[in-house]
Amino acid sequence: MGISMRIALAASAALALTIGMAQAQEKSIKIATEGAYPPYNSLTSDGKLVGFDVDIANALCEEMKAKCEIVAQEWDGMIPALQAGKFDAIIAQMSITPERKEKIDFSKKYINTPAVIAAAKDSDIKGVTKEDLAGKTIGVQGSTIHYNYAEKVFTDSEIKSYPTAEEYKLDMANGRLDAVSDDAVTMGNWLETADGACCKIVGTIPNMPEIHGDGAGVGVRKGDTALADQFTAAIAAIRANGKYKEINDKYFKFDVYGD
């Protein structure tokens, strides 16, 4: 092969590499969040997605040097929509559980907070055991770890499932439920509002790893380990460079990353 041909091939390879890198940088990642789970994610009156999850998603995309679009997706259809290719990742407080890992893959966790039970301030409920809740009607958002736990443990109670957290909160505030169960931060945030003034937290639910999992991670399609690993690396980076703390402190008074 002549020198001129070698130079031409080398130049062509370099150009292809440059174009490939540029295309990789321009590739957009579509991320879904629920938009109905404050303070993690919610929609403003003008339809803008805001909250901890949204800020974390933007920080991770910036760290990954990726162009990202964040969209709202109803919780019940979140995993099927990911599997169908409607978006590339989920950042919506989705806990990394054995059941979900059979359907999708995850990054390492980006948050881990406990579950709690809340009841009316004048309630006779004193704790969070099966016996404490016997005969009570408990409201929980469906298709969540909190619903799964309630169904498994509170077998002497009536478990009422709701499409969103906002709906069970409304029924609780209006006296149509005896208790509700959810993430401690979500519940605490609600209790600080006028609507949540009805209620109090009666206790923290003990962790059950097979149900509660290992914290919430970024969900991706099964087999997309490269994207999951990129998110894991970005989570570690924003934890190290202070960006995570900046976002954390905007919403919370303690480190929600957990142990």
Side-chain angles (χ1 to χ4, degrees), residues 1 11 43 61 74 103 109 113 116 127 135-136 141 171 177 179-180 258:
M1 186 183 296
L43 284 163
C61 289
E74 290 184 0
K103 301 174 183 178
K109 71 165 185 174
T113 54
V116 297
K136 306 297 185 182
Q141 184 177 4
D171 269 7
L177 295 168
V180 289

Side-chain angles (χ1 to χ4, degrees), residues 3 42 55 60 98-99 102 111 125 140 145 162 167 191 195 206 218 225 249:
I3 293 175
S42 59
D55 288 357
L60 295 177
E99 180 183 1
E102 293 178 1
I111 185 171
I125 298 172
V140 194
I145 57 173
Y162 292 82
E167 290 168 273
L191 295 181
D195 290 339
V218 181
T225 53
D249 293 352

Side-chain angles (χ1 to χ4, degrees), residues 15 89-91 109 111 139 144-145 151 159 194 214 241 253 257:
L15 178 61
I90 297 168
I91 299 182
K109 71 165 185 174
I111 185 171
T144 64
I145 57 173
E151 281 279 283
I159 310 303
D214 303 313
N241 66 22
K253 297 177 181 178
Y257 186 76

